[in-house]
Amino acid sequence: EPHMLELAQAAHSLENDLRVSLATHTPELHQAINNEQFSIHYQPIISSSNYAIAGFEALIRWNHPQRGWVSPGQFIPIAEEIGVIDMLGTWVMRKACKDIMQWHGPQLAEDFFISVNVSAKQFKKPALLADTINNALEESRLAPHRLHLEMTETSTFNEIPEKFFAVKETGCKLSLDDFGTGYSSLTYLHSLPFDSVKLDKSFISDLYVRDEARWSLSEKMIRAIFSLSSAIGLELIVEGIETQPQLHFLHKLGCNPMYQGYLFSRPIPTDQIPDFLSTPLHL
Ligand code: C2E
Ligand code: CA
Ligand code: CA
Ligand code: CA
């Protein structure tokens, strides 16, 4: 039986550790970046019409000297809170844009994209974010439309629509992450300049569960979001696909979304991408 107090204490001390490591802003955080404690894993996003690789999502990883691998779910919120998210976000953006320019292979769609997660905190400074984007595009020579930014909705999402347009002026594309879980006001889907939505993976993981009411509700939600996104002209990415039956269900809906999930590939360490691209996708 789990001892809740011990668990809570362990979590608390992990959080403190991370807080200390991240809070040592400069030069230690720079050093952590330079010492390659941080790295990026890339997960392919598959086009459902021909199973080509349409793009990759960049997912940050941290190999902490004392703690080992720490998930971004743990350290990103802390980085946001103590104000180092701009620095980490800039590092990811520059590295991802450079990396993608090195990749070749027959299963890559022409113009395949790189999708970078951007924190709402970064969006609060649209001029800085636009600078970061423009610099990353310039130094990598990546065509702007091949850079996609993913962001999760927050309660303050629609307060200042101009911010979105300032970022959009760089030429990159915007994707609404975890769609269906947040504060979802459907009105901003067409009032804000989104190009795509990513259906939250909870809808997919609820398919084929024992609880038939849950399963059936998620089927209905998926159908509704498929038709909504196509009606308003947004590309749809379905994430969290882990099993053949889930894929089969999605296929039968007769839309052409993009697919992402462990069924196709786990996120891949950067140095393993060339190998991955030299062998056909195994489905
Ligand atoms: P997210 O953006 O929703 O990313 C999807 C998460 O689902 C990733 O977890 C990915 O590894 C995982 N995943 C992919 N396929 C499957 C699947 O088939 N089944 C299941 N169960 N999970 C799958 P990860 O890498 O641990 O990232 C967690 C979150 O951390 C991300 O959620 C994102 O919000 C945040 N994050 C990651 N990298 C960055 C970054 O560079 N910047 C910012 N601001 N946030 C990041
Ligand atoms: Ca994402
Ligand atoms: Ca997501
Ligand atoms: Ca998320």
Side-chain angles (χ1 to χ4, degrees):
E1 186 173 307
H3 299 277
M4 293 313 287
L5 187 62
E6 277 169 40
L7 273 179
Q9 278 165 351
H12 184 73
S13 106
L14 169 64
E15 211 195 287
N16 271 341
D17 256 28
L18 299 184
R19 218 172 264 279
V20 168
S21 306
L22 284 174
T24 48
H25 202 314
T26 38
E28 276 95 330
L29 186 57
H30 277 292
Q31 227 169 50
I33 289 176
N34 291 335
N35 290 344
E36 297 181 7
Q37 282 178 32
F38 291 96
S39 62
I40 304 179
H41 288 199
Y42 292 97
Q43 188 177 34
I45 297 170
I46 309 294
S47 160
S48 62
S49 54
N50 57 6
Y51 280 59
I53 298 175
F56 289 88
E57 179 175 5
L59 295 158
I60 194 170
R61 297 288 179 264
W62 188 8
N63 197 355
H64 187 276
Q66 280 83 45
R67 291 290 183 169
W69 291 99
V70 186
S71 90
Q74 287 175 301
F75 69 84
I76 292 289
I78 300 173
E80 288 174 338
E81 191 195 314
I82 66 184
V84 298
I85 190 66
D86 292 318
M87 191 178 157
L88 280 180
T90 300
W91 176 78
V92 173
M93 180 104 54
R94 292 179 62 190
K95 174 116 179 22
C97 290
K98 267 189 234 153
D99 284 346
I100 179 181
M101 297 300 278
Q102 315 296 316
W103 301 341
H104 307 277
Q107 60 273 67
L108 287 171
E110 206 184 311
D111 266 14
F112 68 97
F113 61 83
I114 184 70
S115 215
V116 174
N117 290 286
V118 171
S119 143
K121 285 264 153 56
Q122 290 174 270
F123 253 88
K124 291 215 163 135
K125 305 173 198 160
L128 178 67
L129 181 56
D131 266 1
T132 300
I133 295 167
N134 285 325
N135 289 338
L137 291 173
E138 218 166 278
E139 68 186 3
S140 63
R141 307 195 158 271
L142 179 70
H145 69 276
R146 296 181 60 196
L147 173 63
H148 296 192
L149 307 188
E150 294 188 10
M151 81 218 61
T152 306
E153 41 188 309
T154 66
S155 52
T156 58
F157 211 53
N158 200 13
E159 271 169 21
I160 306 171
E162 295 77 32
K163 289 185 178 170
F164 288 83
F165 291 93
V167 171
K168 213 42 214 296
E169 269 176 13
T170 62
C172 71
K173 301 206 169 185
L174 296 186
S175 188
L176 180 55
D177 204 353
D178 300 346
F179 184 66
T181 58
Y183 300 79
S184 284
S185 152
L186 293 179
T187 55
Y188 62 60
L189 271 187
H190 65 94
S191 64
L192 296 177
F194 285 108
D195 302 283
S196 59
V197 294
K198 294 188 85 169
L199 179 68
D200 189 69
K201 54 182 179 297
S202 60
F203 294 107
I204 306 305
S205 62
D206 275 356
L207 293 174
Y208 305 100
V209 291
R210 261 166 191 246
D211 180 344
E212 280 184 32
R214 239 174 82 196
W215 169 1
S216 139
L217 179 64
S218 79
E219 280 199 13
K220 288 179 188 138
M221 293 292 290
I222 293 169
R223 283 178 207 279
I225 291 171
F226 267 54
S227 70
L228 173 77
S229 57
S230 85
I232 59 182
L234 289 168
E235 291 241 55
L236 180 66
I237 298 148
V238 182
E239 62 179 345
I241 303 170
E242 295 182 355
T243 68
Q244 283 292 347
Q246 291 169 341
L247 180 63
H248 188 67
F249 168 78
L250 293 165
H251 245 27
K252 280 190 311 193
L253 296 181
C255 239
N256 281 321
M258 290 181 254
Y259 295 144
Q260 182 181 2
Y262 296 161
L263 178 65
F264 300 94
S265 168
R266 298 231 160 208
I268 305 162
T270 311
D271 58 354
Q272 289 173 26
I273 295 280
D275 258 6
F276 171 78
L277 290 177
S278 69
T279 49
L281 253 191
H282 158 85
L283 299 171

